[in-house]
Amino acid sequence: MSKIMKATVRSGRATAGGKVFNANHNTKKETRQQERHIDHDRTQQNINFRFTNEGMVRRCGSFDAKAFELSRYEFLYGAGQEAKNARYTQDGHPERCKTVADLYTSRRTAPLETIIQLGRRDTDIDPKERVEKLTGAAFVLIDNLSKRWGDNLHLLDLSLHLDEGVPHIHARMTFSAIDKFGQRIPNQAQAFEAMGIQRPDPTAKEGKYNCPLITFSDIIRTEFYDLCEERGIIIDREVKSPSQKHLSVLEYKCKQMDESVKSLTAEKQQLEAVAAEQAQAIVAAKEEIEKIRAERDTLRDQNSVSRTIQEALQQHEHPIEAEYIPEKKSLTGKVLEPEKVKLSRADFEWLRDRATITTAIKNAWNSLQQYGKQLWAEVDRNARVKSAEQRAERAEQQTRTDAITIR
């Protein structure tokens, strides 16, 4: 009886953070031992294959895939990049020169990695049978790719992983084209054009989800599904295209952003209301502070006057000894010297101090009269406001009584 299960074929060059995939994750034992999700006791069961420059396929154990793939890049693109660098230098733009290592690590020209998987962790199938069906279909698929597009698609290495939750295959490849100078360069777009692969909707603008790579992925996915079904595995093909998956993610994100906008808007309104209340409170506090300052200054003046009066009252009586000197006139009656009062210096200073105290008392009296008027005006205003509030309350009560009567 045929089994029905899901299958996965997906391709990429870099992580979501933009870092290109590390080839040694697939092939090098030391690198895999650093991964926590791997069963290190089963790592020795993994199988690796290298595709040589001579077109041979070599089965091998653990190896440095980064070094091997870089040597393949040197073989494929070394001459072309060297010629391109020479042209850049000749044109006066040596800053545009790149090494083959730069090509290998760039997101645009790094190897494309395709993961092929049959079933999921909970799929009801014998583990040995799963591996046989997976490798049988995947190896035929890889062989077909090489035969069909070998001039533009170059397989680098392939790894069968049996030390993770679900057996799967990593196939790494690079795409090349011949430029106008007759040199081979890494260029996926020109390679797909030479391979006759177009974007899914040629009438629409090319984009991340309408590009030849989507078509290429659909081709190898469909072929892998067909090869699995030839081996008695019925594939559940009801899957969303990458563009639909991406659209649903965007819709979800947009919904989340809408909810965030609503929440932030409500929070903003609350903060604005609080800010308005605080602003009113600040204005009222400033007015209260000014009022208190004015009262403080008044009380300070009163205190000063009180001290002056108290000091004056505490002074003892001082007898004044004054000598009256009448005016002097000439024989014709002209006043030669006006009349005078002769005082001692001590008596003069005492009288001067008494005059200063008398003036202060007069000023204090005027200040107290003014402050009393202000207090009386405040009391009168409060009384009038209270009276108006009482009248309004009585009117409101009467209105309610009238309304009840009408009902």
Side-chain angles (χ1 to χ4, degrees), residues 140-177:
V140 173
L141 171 65
I142 295 299
D143 188 52
N144 290 343
L145 295 180
S146 182
K147 291 178 180 178
R148 189 183 313 158
W149 293 311
D151 289 340
N152 303 99
L153 185 154
H154 310 281
L155 293 164
L156 301 174
D157 47 64
L158 182 147
S159 299
L160 170 63
H161 288 169
L162 303 175
D163 56 354
E164 299 183 45
V166 181
H168 58 276
I169 289 173
H170 293 259
R172 289 172 62 85
M173 62 197 75
T174 179
F175 297 90
S176 73

Side-chain angles (χ1 to χ4, degrees), residues 63 149 160 227-228 234 237 297 311 361 385:
F63 74 100
W149 293 311
L160 170 63
L227 290 168
C228 288
I234 299 178
R237 305 191 184 211
D297 294 340
E311 291 174 357
I361 292 173
V385 170

